[in-house]
Amino acid sequence: MTRLSAPDRVLSASDFKLESIDLYITSRCNRRCTYCFLPDAYFDRTRHMPPSTVAAIVAWASGSATEITVLGGEPALHPQFTAIVRDTAAAPVRVRTVTNGSRHFRAALPAVHEALSRVAVSLDAPSAAVVDRLRGRGAFTDAVATVDELRAAGVPFDLNCTVLADTVGLVPEMLAYAEASGAGRLNMHWFSPVGRGAEHAADQSVPAGAWRRQVLDVVAAYRPVRQSFTVDCQVAFDFPVPGADRGVCAVRDRTNLQFLPGGAVFSCGMLLEDEALAAYQWHDGRLIRRGGDTELARTATACTGCPLRPSDGGHQPICIYNRLAV
Ligand SMILES: C[S@@+](CC[C@H](N)C(=O)[O-])C[C@H]1O[C@@H](n2cnc3c(N)ncnc32)[C@H](O)[C@@H]1O
Ligand code: SF4
Ligand code: SF4
């Protein structure tokens, strides 16, 4: 039971510097990707965020955050996905969703496409064999079919690409593929080895040196032909590139909030695997700061670089929210 004794434990959105918040509306997913940062325990128990909770969080964040990102699990597997997207779009915020491209998302698309400001489709490589090995049979076909339908419906879309040891050699092809697909942006993530990723893909982390040579240098040299296409790539380590800032930590800086279906609220995506580490709790329509050994305690020390990730070959890891934009 959450104790609410100290008044400073109840926080308003103005206590944070939020551009966007993430709502994990469901734990249900049609896939079990080998590298997912969510743990098996997240998927083992089906939890859906009630639409009334979504509305209360959106009301809490409106006026601070200008964008709500709806994800999961696979967001379209929430039984009220359509109503959640449409009702949220009636608030003064943009609504974005992140999907693996499931057929459930395609089935919902005609009812939600006017309410969505953008959609991010997760696609890690321009190869059916590679994607299906990472995400399960049919994952590539699903993602491509969804991209085709988004393009036909005129919905702005991006591609999310998690770069792993098995896909890092395909980065040049992925850049060209994303641009040719009509995507507005290619978001490239360093694989965080947490959750299912720690259990099922521990050998898939791209080492710092390879990240520099095979990802950052390739992205920095990429010159899009289409003006409306950009690349947004995680910097990951303290390389001297634009976007790298050793001092950034989303937990300490209060720049990020991720609301899970059961009420846990995190600032750092690296820790979602253990809900006991959440800095905050959504409870009875209020955001409560939790005490004890949470992500707040673990990141409290002023330090340069991410306090949670080990250094690699002399390279200091930096916050996962540092981005190189091209
Ligand atoms: C957790 S998923 C939820 C939305 C939806 N199920 C999907 O896969 O697009 C959100 C994003 O996180 C990315 N992701 C998953 N595991 C990751 C990891 N270990 N490191 C970095 N990104 C990861 C996914 O590829 C996806 O783009
Ligand atoms: S990455 Fe997305 S699709 Fe894959 S298991 Fe995680 S939540 Fe499901
Ligand atoms: S990735 Fe590291 S630096 Fe960034 S919010 Fe998490 S703990 Fe802080």
Side-chain angles (χ1 to χ4, degrees), residues 1-6 9-11 262-265 275 278-291:
M1 183 74 184
T2 309
R3 283 172 44 241
L4 303 178
S5 48
R9 293 178 63 202
V10 180
L11 299 168
V265 184
E275 296 198 8
Y280 311 99
Q281 182 80 21
W282 184 260
H283 179 80
D284 269 355
R286 298 193 285 182
L287 189 75
I288 315 294
R289 183 165 48 80
R290 299 177 64 245

Side-chain angles (χ1 to χ4, degrees), residues 78-91:
H78 190 300
Q80 281 100 30
F81 174 69
T82 299
I84 285 173
V85 169
R86 291 167 70 132
D87 291 353
T88 304

Side-chain angles (χ1 to χ4, degrees), residues 7 11-12 21 23 84 96 98 115 139 151 202 212 221 229 237 240 277:
L11 299 168
S12 69
I21 60 170
L23 302 187
I84 285 173
R96 168 181 177 263
V98 185
R151 197 175 40 238
R212 171 85 202 242
F229 178 66
F237 298 92
L277 296 176

Side-chain angles (χ1 to χ4, degrees), residues 89-106:
V93 289
R94 295 188 307 279
V95 186
R96 168 181 177 263
T97 193
V98 185
T99 174
N100 59 35
S102 65
R103 65 181 166 79
H104 313 83
F105 178 79
R106 290 196 296 283

Side-chain angles (χ1 to χ4, degrees), residues 29 31-33 35-36 38 43 72-74 100 135:
C29 193
R31 302 216 164 270
R32 289 291 182 277
C33 304
Y35 65 83
C36 183
L38 294 162
F43 300 108
E74 176 58 13
N100 59 35
R135 298 182 74 104

Side-chain angles (χ1 to χ4, degrees), residues 248-251 267-270 299 305-309 318-321:
V248 167
C249 170
V251 180
S267 283
C268 175
M270 286 285 291
T299 57
C306 175
L308 294 185
R309 292 167 46 208
I318 59 174
C319 185
I320 56 173
Y321 302 108

Side-chain angles (χ1 to χ4, degrees), residues 47-321:
R47 286 193 294 196
H48 302 303
M49 190 179 277
S52 58
T53 302
V54 174
I57 296 170
V58 171
W60 176 88
S62 297
S64 291
T66 53
E67 182 181 75
I68 307 289
T69 296
V70 174
L71 66 172
E74 176 58 13
L77 293 184
H78 190 300
Q80 281 100 30
F81 174 69
T82 299
I84 285 173
V85 169
R86 291 167 70 132
D87 291 353
T88 304
V93 289
R94 295 188 307 279
V95 186
R96 168 181 177 263
T97 193
V98 185
T99 174
N100 59 35
S102 65
R103 65 181 166 79
H104 313 83
F105 178 79
R106 290 196 296 283
L109 189 55
V112 294
H113 79 265
E114 286 179 357
L116 289 167
S117 65
R118 318 193 60 77
V119 176
V121 181
S122 297
L123 185 61
D124 308 310
S127 155
V130 173
V131 170
D132 287 10
R133 198 165 64 236
L134 296 168
R135 298 182 74 104
R137 200 158 51 140
F140 182 83
T141 304
D142 258 349
V144 171
T146 299
V147 162
D148 289 345
E149 290 199 12
L150 288 166
R151 197 175 40 238
V155 180
F157 70 92
D158 306 318
L159 296 184
N160 277 12
C161 162
T162 304
V163 183
L164 303 112
D166 278 357
T167 63
V168 70
L170 296 170
V171 164
E173 287 98 314
M174 189 63 206
L175 287 161
Y177 180 91
E179 182 168 1
S181 76
R185 188 172 56 191
L186 176 63
N187 296 315
M188 302 178 77
H189 304 294
W190 181 78
F191 158 61
S192 300
V194 295
R196 282 181 55 78
E199 288 228 353
H200 306 284
D203 57 347
Q204 284 293 318
S205 274
V206 179
W211 189 261
R212 171 85 202 242
R213 281 189 314 279
Q214 291 183 267
V215 183
L216 293 178
D217 288 353
V218 174
V219 169
Y222 190 74
R223 294 287 167 269
V225 178
R226 181 161 54 85
Q227 279 194 342
S228 54
F229 178 66
T230 58
V231 184
D232 186 301
C233 181
Q234 188 175 330
V235 178
F237 298 92
D238 64 345
F239 300 117
V241 299
D245 181 347
R246 296 167 64 124
V248 167
C249 170
V251 180
R252 289 196 298 265
D253 301 343
R254 290 189 167 187
T255 50
N256 192 26
L257 285 179
Q258 308 183 41
F259 294 76
L260 269 55
V265 184
F266 285 87
S267 283
C268 175
M270 286 285 291
L271 290 170
L272 292 187
E273 59 184 349
D274 183 356
E275 296 198 8
L277 296 176
Y280 311 99
Q281 182 80 21
W282 184 260
H283 179 80
D284 269 355
R286 298 193 285 182
L287 189 75
I288 315 294
R289 183 165 48 80
R290 299 177 64 245
D293 177 24
T294 71
E295 55 183 347
L296 281 169
R298 294 190 179 204
T299 57
T301 43
C303 56
T304 51
C306 175
L308 294 185
R309 292 167 46 208
S311 67
D312 177 357
H315 297 287
Q316 178 77 20
I318 59 174
C319 185
I320 56 173
Y321 302 108

